[in-house]
Amino acid sequence: MKKNLFYYLFAVICSVTLFTACSDDDEDTTWQQIPEITNDNVTLKLNDKTPAGATATLDIIDGENAKVTLVNVIYGHESVPVDVTMEKNNDTSYTFSGSTDLDAAKEAMTSSPLKVAVSGIVDTAGKVTIDVVTSGWASVSGVYANDSLAITFDGKSHSNDADYAVTLTVKDNGSAATLVFKKIVNVGLNVEANVALDKGKISGTVEPKLGYTVTIDGSVDNTGKLTLDLVSSGYGTIAGSYSARSNSINFNGKVLTNGSVSVKVLSETKAQVSLSGILVGDRNAVIEGVVITKEEDKEVYAINGELKNDNYAITFKGTVGENRKLTADVTYKVIGDIVGKWNLMKASETMAAPIFKFATNKGSVTLPESLLAIIPEDMKPMFPATMPDAQLTEVVQGLLGNYAIYLQSIEFTEKGRVIATYVDMPKDINGDGKIDAMDQVDTTPKTFDMLQYYMEDGELYLAVDLNELLSMMSADKARAWDPSTILSKGIPVGYQISDNILSVSLVTDVVVGLAGFVNSMLPIIGMMLPEEMKPQFDVIEKIFSEIVAGIIPDVKELEVGLRFTK
């Protein structure tokens, strides 16, 4: 009996030893061949899409257990650890899967609004493929841009790139959400809106600025697409800048193509309107106390106001329609005793009464030989080689008096325009050496109205549109007046009204500056003239060029002007 028991125990021990040895031989060690996982070897998808900047780590514990850590994958969670179970797929790879429950992004909730399920495969070469699927009401929280975002604003497509990203955070057990717009065009930055969320449908309103309401409708789901339709309304929608190119703005009855009108809303009924690039002379005007009136049952707003100072009055009448376009009429009127028509003041029936003051540093002018050579023969006795300042002054006064007589009048209109009336200078057309009725002298009055004017700081400015000549002008740092401002501020003109006599003149710095400007402009004008006029114009160009080069640099005083009476 004892012997049989001994044999029985021996058999049991041998059997256990045998089975233990077989188990050790079958133990899985393939997982130990998997190297350390690097970011370059991780392929990750979130809800079947590849999120930018997201990655993951895989820490293998043994052949059956591991931990996946999601990095910058789930919005609101920089790092999400997920315990996974591993199962050998073949001799070189394992599959794994697992899940975890998270709180809503930035929200401490007692429930589990967000489930994160992870599955994937890893091989002995260290390559990992991970699929992440989210579910639950907080799964749509995230930052949407580019392909994941579609926005329309007032019926037009709105930019959806990274600069206009929208951050969505779900809360209140999925019944509400917060939208943060990084930028809404022409509205504001970082606009935050609280909206309702009902089975992926979004609805709500936000007032990003005074009197400006944005109605929000849209949808979102965990496929990674946020679609929003924004519609603006309210008196605040008229605030902004309206360019003349894109709107309908009239100035004294003329349709503008340049300049802009800016509207600043102060309340439901008050605004401030600024005019930029509309008034001549590079001036801006700010109209305070503009009245806003809304048309009943329509998003149409009338904006009307007036501005009056010592120099001018402006009336503004505008309407911003439902298309967010401005239609406006701007009326501008000059205030001052210069407004009206002024007739040329004469010294005699055939002579004007010009203003001409001249003085040089040396007290005399020596005319260059090149200039003397091109002076017409009948005028050479008037111009000796060297002339005292007083003699030259007398000669030029006489020439100005003779030629200015053909200017009949000058009118400074209430709307800021200068209208000069003149008759053509008579010419000896038949060549008999005298001007008479046989030469068919044209005495029909003509007008020149390309100039505009304005008053500022007690000074009169004349301005003309010379944009094409801007590149030809250069500033003269040695003079008080910079001729490069002719296109912006205009030309400063000295004026004085006394005993019903208007005296207008250009002072030294202005004359000297204009001389250089005109000298650079003459070649361009010459190229545009008809061929038959070019020989005569060449003479004028040469004379002027010689004056600028030989006389102007030595000028100490030079004033040129005319006198008029009403």
Side-chain angles (χ1 to χ4, degrees), residues 151-468:
I151 303 182
T152 58
F153 186 48
D154 286 337
K156 296 181 180 180
S157 178
H158 189 281
S159 180
N160 63 346
D161 62 32
D163 291 335
Y164 300 86
V166 178
T167 301
L168 184 150
T169 304
V170 184
K171 56 185 181 180
D172 297 343
N173 290 321
S175 64
T178 299
L179 295 174
V180 179
F181 297 85
K182 191 172 183 180
K183 180 180 180 180
I184 303 178
V185 175
N186 296 328
V187 177
L189 303 175
N190 298 317
V191 177
E192 183 172 331
N194 293 316
V195 295
L197 188 60
D198 181 15
K199 297 179 180 179
K201 298 296 183 182
I202 296 172
S203 62
T205 61
V206 63
E207 189 173 333
K209 54 186 178 180
L210 182 66
Y212 196 115
T213 300
V214 177
T215 301
I216 305 170
D217 286 297
S219 63
V220 65
D221 56 43
N222 61 2
T223 62
K225 186 77 172 185
L226 174 63
T227 302
L228 296 172
D229 182 24
L230 312 180
V231 178
S232 63
S233 62
Y235 62 88
T237 59
I238 68 175
S241 179
Y242 300 86
S243 68
R245 291 182 180 273
S246 303
N247 297 271
S248 178
I249 303 174
N250 294 334
F251 181 77
N252 281 344
K254 179 182 177 181
V255 178
L256 295 180
T257 57
N258 293 300
S260 63
V261 173
S262 295
V263 178
K264 180 180 179 181
V265 173
L266 303 176
S267 70
E268 188 173 4
T269 59
K270 296 294 181 182
Q272 179 191 84
V273 171
S274 300
L275 308 182
S276 178
I278 293 178
L279 303 186
V280 65
D282 197 27
R283 295 173 298 155
N284 296 326
V286 179
I287 307 173
E288 305 285 357
V290 175
V291 177
I292 302 174
T293 306
K294 182 181 182 299
E295 190 171 325
E296 188 174 358
D297 298 328
K298 288 185 178 181
E299 285 292 311
V300 178
Y301 296 86
I303 43 179
N304 302 307
E306 295 182 349
L307 165 65
K308 187 175 183 180
N309 56 34
D310 292 339
N311 296 319
Y312 60 84
I314 293 177
T315 301
F316 182 90
K317 294 182 178 180
T319 301
V320 178
E322 293 180 316
N323 60 356
R324 300 291 187 267
K325 297 289 185 180
L326 171 67
T327 301
D329 287 307
V330 183
T331 302
Y332 173 90
K333 292 183 178 181
V334 178
I335 297 174
D337 51 6
I338 197 172
V339 176
K341 186 174 183 179
W342 299 82
N343 298 309
L344 180 70
M345 186 175 179
K346 300 178 181 179
S348 66
E349 188 62 30
T350 59
M351 181 75 69
I355 300 170
F356 185 76
K357 298 177 182 179
F358 178 78
T360 62
N361 294 314
K362 293 184 296 185
S364 64
V365 175
T366 299
L367 302 179
E369 292 185 4
S370 55
L371 177 58
L372 292 171
I374 58 179
I375 292 177
E377 291 297 325
D378 60 336
M379 296 180 64
K380 283 186 177 180
M382 301 167 58
F383 293 96
T386 299
M387 304 176 68
D389 292 348
Q391 183 180 0
L392 181 60
T393 300
E394 184 179 354
V395 171
V396 174
Q397 279 182 334
L399 292 174
L400 287 175
N402 282 324
Y403 288 106
I405 193 67
Y406 301 102
L407 175 64
Q408 294 184 336
S409 65
I410 184 168
E411 181 180 2
F412 295 90
T413 70
E414 193 176 44
K415 293 184 177 182
R417 188 158 293 276
V418 180
I419 302 175
T421 302
Y422 66 97
V423 295
D424 288 336
M425 295 175 58
K427 299 178 182 178
D428 182 11
I429 297 176
N430 59 14
D432 61 1
K434 58 183 179 179
I435 298 174
D436 52 27
M438 301 299 294
D439 292 305
Q440 298 180 340
V441 176
D442 186 4
T443 58
T444 304
K446 298 178 176 61
T447 58
F448 176 83
D449 61 355
M450 290 181 62
L451 293 176
Q452 292 177 290
Y453 80 99
Y454 67 94
M455 318 296 293
E456 188 175 89
D457 298 328
E459 195 160 26
L460 168 67
Y461 282 84
L462 300 180
V464 65
D465 184 9
L466 297 174
N467 289 301
E468 69 277 9

Side-chain angles (χ1 to χ4, degrees), residues 34-57:
I34 300 173
E36 183 178 352
I37 308 301
T38 63
N39 286 347
D40 293 338
N41 286 332
V42 176
T43 301
L44 184 147
K45 287 190 176 182
L46 173 64
N47 296 323
D48 206 32
K49 293 188 177 182
T50 303
T55 187
T57 62

Side-chain angles (χ1 to χ4, degrees), residues 42 75 289 493 523 528:
V42 176
Y75 171 71
V493 180
M528 296 186 292

Side-chain angles (χ1 to χ4, degrees), residues 68 82-85 96-100 115-120 131 133:
V68 173
V82 182
D83 292 327
V84 296
T85 58
F96 56 86
S97 62
S99 64
T100 187
K115 179 181 285 293
V116 179
V118 174
S119 61
D131 288 310
V133 177

